[in-house]
Amino acid sequence: MIASTGTPWKILEEYNCGCWVENKPETLAKAIKRFLKKDNETKNQIKENAKALVSDKFTMEKVVTV
């Protein structure tokens, strides 16, 4: 995942499941190119890290207060 620094997604880097970069075309393009160059094993690890992020922080039980 790639998010710009104009969003609250710095946590992507903490979970090693994406990057948080300046919202400039050249910076976003570099981030996309870096991701596309990664091997499948690394991409799969990033996917697993993203699942862990969602599980740790964004399940219904964690975001909804009754």
Side-chain angles (χ1 to χ4, degrees), residues 7-18:
T7 65
W9 290 102
K10 185 176 182 178
I11 196 167
L12 295 176
E13 292 184 344
E14 295 169 21
Y15 272 76
N16 194 28
C17 64

Side-chain angles (χ1 to χ4, degrees), residues 4-65:
S4 75
T5 53
T7 65
W9 290 102
K10 185 176 182 178
I11 196 167
L12 295 176
E13 292 184 344
E14 295 169 21
Y15 272 76
N16 194 28
C17 64
C19 56
W20 195 55
V21 298
E22 285 185 87
N23 191 16
K24 294 182 179 180
E26 51 283 343
T27 309
L28 292 166
K30 285 180 186 178
I32 292 167
K33 288 177 184 177
R34 275 195 318 267
F35 178 78
L36 292 175
K37 289 181 181 180
K38 295 184 185 300
D39 59 72
N40 286 337
E41 185 177 332
T42 302
K43 288 177 184 176
N44 285 332
Q45 184 60 58
I46 291 169
K47 180 173 74 173
E48 293 304 315
N49 294 346
K51 289 179 184 178
L53 168 61
V54 171
S55 177
D56 290 351
K57 302 288 185 182
F58 300 106
T59 61
M60 189 67 73
E61 296 80 19
K62 294 190 179 173
V63 297
V64 175
T65 310

